[in-house]
Amino acid sequence: MSHPLDILAIAAHRDDVEQTCGGTLLKMAELGHRTGILDLTRGEMGTRGSAEDRAGEADDAAKILRVSWRQALDIPDGRVENTWENRLKVARVIREQRPRVVILPYWKGRHPDHYTASILGYEACFLAGLSKLDVDLALKGSSAFSNVAGAIASSVARAPSPANPQALAPHRPFKIVYATIYYDVRPTFVVDITDQFEARFQSLMAYKTQFSDQEAGKDIFPAQAEIRSRIEAMARYYGMLAGVTYAEPFLQKEIGLVDDLTAIPVKSI
Ligand SMILES: [Zn+2]
């Protein structure tokens, strides 16, 4: 029987999570939480490497981040759309994995797949909690059902999922937070990833077809040293805002709640 996830990060592309919240996922795993990643697409449109290459690399990255569960849906790369079918596919995973916290991409950005994944993920979290919605029945009514069943079956081989009817009972995550690093917006909180920074960088470098220095696509992909200095600069910037070395930025829509004023972190003056 697989246990529910404590935290599920949902993103459009394999390697997005490694760039937006990989350090946080590793830190949460180190704290004893069970973490997971749902990639909506498989990367078949990438300039470098195939979808199969990226699947192997995503598994390597997941090991570095100590992620307990990872799966990619079959939504077309470059064409993440907020459709009923896609919301059902994501809602099905939320019911199956039952996360308490979901991390989504921020809802604005340059890449349409990223901001669409944000709205799609939010609406799927809502759908997953509707007690009268039978997601499998709804998916059966759509032509995508066989593909989804295939995607689920292939993940079962690696990460056993219960064939337990309870697994698809309604579930709504308690908390949704947005990883904002792809967009210039002030975060509402950051997570200190000083101790996880190096492993987080290595998880990104596990995507060898994407990030090792090579001829293919060298006009559009920066060299590895350049990637490192960009990633370091961003993590350092968000760290500086909170008085730590490296951090990852997040935004929550809700207000912060405080019990003890003397325990609020981050120095004012
Ligand atoms: Zn992406």
Side-chain angles (χ1 to χ4, degrees), residues 12-13 15-16 111 114 182:
H13 311 116
D15 84 15
D16 280 345
H111 197 312
H114 294 165
Y182 284 158

Side-chain angles (χ1 to χ4, degrees), residues 63-110:
K63 282 189 197 103
I64 294 170
L65 298 177
R66 299 198 208 166
V67 166
S68 302
W69 180 92
R70 183 171 207 163
Q71 183 183 308
L73 291 179
D74 58 355
I75 295 173
D77 187 9
R79 230 189 79 196
V80 173
E81 293 172 287
N82 184 13
T83 61
W84 172 240
E85 266 176 30
N86 287 345
R87 291 196 293 278
L88 287 171
K89 290 178 187 182
V90 177
R92 191 182 200 289
V93 171
I94 290 163
R95 286 188 174 186
E96 192 187 55
Q97 299 303 323
R98 318 189 76 69
R100 177 174 171 88
V101 178
V102 166
I103 303 175
L104 295 176
Y106 184 57
W107 57 87
K108 289 183 196 170
R110 183 188 66 85

Side-chain angles (χ1 to χ4, degrees), residues 151-193:
I152 303 294
S154 67
S155 80
V156 166
R158 271 184 291 135
S161 286
N164 153 14
Q166 278 299 310
L168 289 181
H171 176 79
R172 199 168 277 158
F174 177 80
K175 192 76 187 171
I176 299 174
V177 299
Y178 298 87
T180 61
I181 205 159
Y182 284 158
Y183 194 76
D184 184 19
V185 60
R186 188 172 173 88
T188 50
F189 68 94
V190 300
V191 174
D192 179 359
I193 59 151

Side-chain angles (χ1 to χ4, degrees), residues 8-238:
L8 174 65
I10 300 176
H13 311 116
R14 287 163 163 164
D15 84 15
D16 280 345
V17 159
E18 287 78 0
Q19 299 181 64
T20 61
C21 59
T24 301
L25 284 184
L26 175 57
K27 182 170 185 157
M28 295 305 108
E30 288 171 356
L31 288 174
H33 297 307
R34 199 163 179 274
T35 62
I37 299 172
L38 178 66
D39 305 303
L40 300 182
T41 67
R42 297 177 177 179
E44 69 277 6
M45 295 298 278
T47 306
R48 293 169 161 182
S50 63
E52 292 69 36
D53 293 332
R54 304 204 88 185
E57 292 166 350
D59 282 348
D60 292 343
K63 282 189 197 103
I64 294 170
L65 298 177
R66 299 198 208 166
V67 166
S68 302
W69 180 92
R70 183 171 207 163
Q71 183 183 308
L73 291 179
D74 58 355
I75 295 173
D77 187 9
R79 230 189 79 196
V80 173
E81 293 172 287
N82 184 13
T83 61
W84 172 240
E85 266 176 30
N86 287 345
R87 291 196 293 278
L88 287 171
K89 290 178 187 182
V90 177
R92 191 182 200 289
V93 171
I94 290 163
R95 286 188 174 186
E96 192 187 55
Q97 299 303 323
R98 318 189 76 69
R100 177 174 171 88
V101 178
V102 166
I103 303 175
L104 295 176
Y106 184 57
W107 57 87
K108 289 183 196 170
R110 183 188 66 85
H111 197 312
D113 281 357
H114 294 165
Y115 59 73
T116 307
S118 184
I119 310 296
L120 166 58
Y122 178 87
E123 293 184 3
C125 288
F126 187 86
L127 270 189
L130 292 178
S131 59
K132 289 187 176 162
L133 175 70
D134 180 332
V135 281
D136 283 336
L137 203 63
L139 275 166
K140 261 178 204 153
S142 78
S143 58
F145 181 73
S146 56
N147 292 336
V148 174
I152 303 294
S154 67
S155 80
V156 166
R158 271 184 291 135
S161 286
N164 153 14
Q166 278 299 310
L168 289 181
H171 176 79
R172 199 168 277 158
F174 177 80
K175 192 76 187 171
I176 299 174
V177 299
Y178 298 87
T180 61
I181 205 159
Y182 284 158
Y183 194 76
D184 184 19
V185 60
R186 188 172 173 88
T188 50
F189 68 94
V190 300
V191 174
D192 179 359
I193 59 151
T194 305
D195 294 339
Q196 292 77 25
F197 178 79
E198 198 53 49
R200 186 256 228 170
F201 183 71
Q202 292 312 320
S203 76
L204 187 60
M205 292 305 108
Y207 291 87
K208 295 190 179 74
T209 59
Q210 306 304 302
F211 296 113
S212 57
D213 294 337
Q214 57 190 289
E215 268 310 297
K218 77 173 163 42
D219 297 335
I220 49 171
F221 285 86
Q224 199 176 117
E226 171 64 16
I227 296 170
R228 186 178 170 100
S229 70
R230 287 184 196 182
I231 284 177
E232 194 161 358
M234 293 297 277
R236 191 74 191 87
Y237 170 71
Y238 288 111

